[in-house]
PDB file of all heavy atoms in Angstrom:
ATOM      1  N   LEU A 117     204.396 -88.926  45.810  1.00 90.00           N
ATOM      2  CA  LEU A 117     205.664 -89.654  45.834  1.00 90.00           C
ATOM      3  C   LEU A 117     205.439 -91.068  46.327  1.00 90.00           C
ATOM      4  O   LEU A 117     205.004 -91.279  47.468  1.00 90.00           O
ATOM      5  CB  LEU A 117     206.648 -88.926  46.749  1.00 90.00           C
ATOM      6  CG  LEU A 117     208.126 -89.307  46.656  1.00 90.00           C
ATOM      7  CD1 LEU A 117     208.688 -88.990  45.274  1.00 90.00           C
ATOM      8  CD2 LEU A 117     208.910 -88.560  47.727  1.00 90.00           C
ATOM      9  N   ASP A 119     207.641 -94.414  46.920  1.00 80.00           N
ATOM     10  CA  ASP A 119     209.053 -94.776  46.963  1.00 80.00           C
ATOM     11  C   ASP A 119     209.868 -93.565  46.504  1.00 80.00           C
ATOM     12  O   ASP A 119     209.823 -92.533  47.109  1.00 80.00           O
ATOM     13  CB  ASP A 119     209.327 -96.023  46.125  1.00 80.00           C
ATOM     14  CG  ASP A 119     208.639 -97.252  46.715  1.00 80.00           C
ATOM     15  OD1 ASP A 119     208.550 -97.337  47.957  1.00 80.00           O
ATOM     16  OD2 ASP A 119     208.181 -98.111  45.940  1.00 80.00           O
ATOM     17  N   GLU A 120     210.559 -93.666  45.388  1.00 86.00           N
ATOM     18  CA  GLU A 120     211.392 -92.555  44.916  1.00 86.00           C
ATOM     19  C   GLU A 120     210.839 -91.929  43.644  1.00 86.00           C
ATOM     20  O   GLU A 120     211.499 -91.107  43.024  1.00 86.00           O
ATOM     21  CB  GLU A 120     212.818 -93.051  44.661  1.00 86.00           C
ATOM     22  CG  GLU A 120     213.524 -93.572  45.910  1.00 86.00           C
ATOM     23  CD  GLU A 120     213.767 -92.461  46.931  1.00 86.00           C
ATOM     24  OE1 GLU A 120     214.454 -91.489  46.603  1.00 86.00           O
ATOM     25  OE2 GLU A 120     213.251 -92.584  48.057  1.00 86.00           O
ATOM     26  N   ARG A 121     209.613 -92.305  43.262  1.00 92.00           N
ATOM     27  CA  ARG A 121     209.040 -91.806  42.019  1.00 92.00           C
ATOM     28  C   ARG A 121     207.797 -90.980  42.304  1.00 92.00           C
ATOM     29  O   ARG A 121     206.984 -91.325  43.147  1.00 92.00           O
ATOM     30  CB  ARG A 121     208.694 -92.981  41.087  1.00 92.00           C
ATOM     31  CG  ARG A 121     209.894 -93.855  40.764  1.00 92.00           C
ATOM     32  CD  ARG A 121     209.479 -95.074  39.948  1.00 92.00           C
ATOM     33  NE  ARG A 121     208.961 -94.713  38.638  1.00 92.00           N
ATOM     34  CZ  ARG A 121     208.561 -95.620  37.739  1.00 92.00           C
ATOM     35  NH1 ARG A 121     208.619 -96.919  38.039  1.00 92.00           N
ATOM     36  NH2 ARG A 121     208.109 -95.216  36.565  1.00 92.00           N
ATOM     37  N   MET A 122     207.647 -89.859  41.573  1.00 95.00           N
ATOM     38  CA  MET A 122     206.494 -88.986  41.758  1.00 95.00           C
ATOM     39  C   MET A 122     205.644 -88.962  40.489  1.00 95.00           C
ATOM     40  O   MET A 122     206.158 -88.829  39.375  1.00 95.00           O
ATOM     41  CB  MET A 122     206.929 -87.565  42.111  1.00 95.00           C
ATOM     42  CG  MET A 122     205.759 -86.598  42.323  1.00 95.00           C
ATOM     43  SD  MET A 122     206.271 -84.944  42.883  1.00 95.00           S
ATOM     44  CE  MET A 122     206.536 -85.254  44.627  1.00 95.00           C
ATOM     45  N   HIS A 145     216.842 -81.717  39.784  1.00 96.00           N
ATOM     46  CA  HIS A 145     216.786 -82.540  40.990  1.00 96.00           C
ATOM     47  C   HIS A 145     215.620 -83.524  40.893  1.00 96.00           C
ATOM     48  O   HIS A 145     214.551 -83.180  40.391  1.00 96.00           O
ATOM     49  CB  HIS A 145     216.610 -81.668  42.237  1.00 96.00           C
ATOM     50  CG  HIS A 145     217.690 -80.643  42.401  1.00 96.00           C
ATOM     51  ND1 HIS A 145     218.984 -80.960  42.729  1.00 96.00           N
ATOM     52  CD2 HIS A 145     217.654 -79.295  42.259  1.00 96.00           C
ATOM     53  CE1 HIS A 145     219.713 -79.858  42.803  1.00 96.00           C
ATOM     54  NE2 HIS A 145     218.923 -78.831  42.516  1.00 96.00           N
ATOM     55  N   ASP A 146     215.824 -84.741  41.385  1.00 94.00           N
ATOM     56  CA  ASP A 146     214.739 -85.711  41.336  1.00 94.00           C
ATOM     57  C   ASP A 146     213.703 -85.374  42.413  1.00 94.00           C
ATOM     58  O   ASP A 146     214.019 -84.746  43.429  1.00 94.00           O
ATOM     59  CB  ASP A 146     215.264 -87.136  41.509  1.00 94.00           C
ATOM     60  CG  ASP A 146     215.805 -87.397  42.901  1.00 94.00           C
ATOM     61  OD1 ASP A 146     214.997 -87.663  43.812  1.00 94.00           O
ATOM     62  OD2 ASP A 146     217.036 -87.338  43.090  1.00 94.00           O
ATOM     63  N   PRO A 147     212.445 -85.764  42.212  1.00 94.00           N
ATOM     64  CA  PRO A 147     211.367 -85.387  43.131  1.00 94.00           C
ATOM     65  C   PRO A 147     211.587 -85.836  44.571  1.00 94.00           C
ATOM     66  O   PRO A 147     211.199 -85.123  45.507  1.00 94.00           O
ATOM     67  CB  PRO A 147     210.142 -86.055  42.519  1.00 94.00           C
ATOM     68  CG  PRO A 147     210.461 -86.185  41.073  1.00 94.00           C
ATOM     69  CD  PRO A 147     211.933 -86.474  41.030  1.00 94.00           C
ATOM     70  N   ALA A 148     212.170 -87.007  44.784  1.00 93.00           N
ATOM     71  CA  ALA A 148     212.387 -87.484  46.154  1.00 93.00           C
ATOM     72  C   ALA A 148     213.327 -86.548  46.908  1.00 93.00           C
ATOM     73  O   ALA A 148     213.104 -86.245  48.085  1.00 93.00           O
ATOM     74  CB  ALA A 148     212.954 -88.904  46.133  1.00 93.00           C
ATOM     75  N   LEU A 149     214.351 -86.069  46.241  1.00 95.00           N
ATOM     76  CA  LEU A 149     215.270 -85.128  46.868  1.00 95.00           C
ATOM     77  C   LEU A 149     214.572 -83.789  47.141  1.00 95.00           C
ATOM     78  O   LEU A 149     214.765 -83.186  48.208  1.00 95.00           O
ATOM     79  CB  LEU A 149     216.495 -84.907  45.981  1.00 95.00           C
ATOM     80  CG  LEU A 149     217.526 -83.888  46.502  1.00 95.00           C
ATOM     81  CD1 LEU A 149     218.110 -84.356  47.831  1.00 95.00           C
ATOM     82  CD2 LEU A 149     218.626 -83.656  45.466  1.00 95.00           C
ATOM     83  N   LEU A 150     213.767 -83.333  46.195  1.00 96.00           N
ATOM     84  CA  LEU A 150     213.041 -82.085  46.389  1.00 96.00           C
ATOM     85  C   LEU A 150     212.126 -82.176  47.602  1.00 96.00           C
ATOM     86  O   LEU A 150     212.012 -81.229  48.386  1.00 96.00           O
ATOM     87  CB  LEU A 150     212.223 -81.750  45.142  1.00 96.00           C
ATOM     88  CG  LEU A 150     213.029 -81.371  43.900  1.00 96.00           C
ATOM     89  CD1 LEU A 150     212.099 -81.249  42.700  1.00 96.00           C
ATOM     90  CD2 LEU A 150     213.791 -80.068  44.117  1.00 96.00           C
ATOM     91  N   TYR A 151     211.456 -83.321  47.782  1.00 94.00           N
ATOM     92  CA  TYR A 151     210.593 -83.507  48.951  1.00 94.00           C
ATOM     93  C   TYR A 151     211.415 -83.443  50.238  1.00 94.00           C
ATOM     94  O   TYR A 151     211.020 -82.775  51.200  1.00 94.00           O
ATOM     95  CB  TYR A 151     209.874 -84.850  48.844  1.00 94.00           C
ATOM     96  CG  TYR A 151     209.223 -85.280  50.135  1.00 94.00           C
ATOM     97  CD1 TYR A 151     208.060 -84.670  50.593  1.00 94.00           C
ATOM     98  CD2 TYR A 151     209.794 -86.282  50.921  1.00 94.00           C
ATOM     99  CE1 TYR A 151     207.468 -85.049  51.791  1.00 94.00           C
ATOM    100  CE2 TYR A 151     209.211 -86.662  52.118  1.00 94.00           C
ATOM    101  CZ  TYR A 151     208.050 -86.039  52.548  1.00 94.00           C
ATOM    102  OH  TYR A 151     207.482 -86.410  53.745  1.00 94.00           O
ATOM    103  N   ARG A 152     212.538 -84.118  50.265  1.00 92.00           N
ATOM    104  CA  ARG A 152     213.362 -84.153  51.481  1.00 92.00           C
ATOM    105  C   ARG A 152     213.929 -82.777  51.820  1.00 92.00           C
ATOM    106  O   ARG A 152     214.112 -82.444  52.992  1.00 92.00           O
ATOM    107  CB  ARG A 152     214.483 -85.175  51.334  1.00 92.00           C
ATOM    108  CG  ARG A 152     214.015 -86.626  51.375  1.00 92.00           C
ATOM    109  CD  ARG A 152     215.172 -87.585  51.512  1.00 92.00           C
ATOM    110  NE  ARG A 152     216.002 -87.618  50.324  1.00 92.00           N
ATOM    111  CZ  ARG A 152     215.820 -88.461  49.313  1.00 92.00           C
ATOM    112  NH1 ARG A 152     214.809 -89.326  49.348  1.00 92.00           N
ATOM    113  NH2 ARG A 152     216.624 -88.450  48.262  1.00 92.00           N
ATOM    114  N   GLN A 153     214.186 -81.972  50.805  1.00 94.00           N
ATOM    115  CA  GLN A 153     214.796 -80.663  51.040  1.00 94.00           C
ATOM    116  C   GLN A 153     213.773 -79.556  51.273  1.00 94.00           C
ATOM    117  O   GLN A 153     214.022 -78.640  52.075  1.00 94.00           O
ATOM    118  CB  GLN A 153     215.675 -80.287  49.843  1.00 94.00           C
ATOM    119  CG  GLN A 153     216.929 -81.135  49.698  1.00 94.00           C
ATOM    120  CD  GLN A 153     217.745 -80.726  48.481  1.00 94.00           C
ATOM    121  OE1 GLN A 153     217.240 -80.100  47.550  1.00 94.00           O
ATOM    122  NE2 GLN A 153     219.027 -81.076  48.490  1.00 94.00           N
ATOM    123  N   ARG A 168     203.495 -89.244  53.950  1.00 80.00           N
ATOM    124  CA  ARG A 168     204.469 -88.814  52.945  1.00 80.00           C
ATOM    125  C   ARG A 168     203.795 -88.623  51.594  1.00 80.00           C
ATOM    126  O   ARG A 168     204.075 -87.658  50.869  1.00 80.00           O
ATOM    127  CB  ARG A 168     205.599 -89.837  52.833  1.00 80.00           C
ATOM    128  CG  ARG A 168     206.798 -89.331  52.037  1.00 80.00           C
ATOM    129  CD  ARG A 168     207.946 -90.303  52.105  1.00 80.00           C
ATOM    130  NE  ARG A 168     207.811 -91.341  51.112  1.00 80.00           N
ATOM    131  CZ  ARG A 168     208.744 -91.623  50.189  1.00 80.00           C
ATOM    132  NH1 ARG A 168     209.862 -90.944  50.153  1.00 80.00           N
ATOM    133  NH2 ARG A 168     208.568 -92.588  49.338  1.00 80.00           N
TER     134      ARG A 168
END
Side-chain angles (χ1 to χ4, degrees):
L117 195 63
D119 294 325
E120 297 294 300
R121 302 175 65 179
M122 180 175 281
H145 303 290
D146 68 81
L149 178 62
L150 291 172
Y151 166 74
R152 288 192 292 269
Q153 291 179 339
R168 192 173 84 124

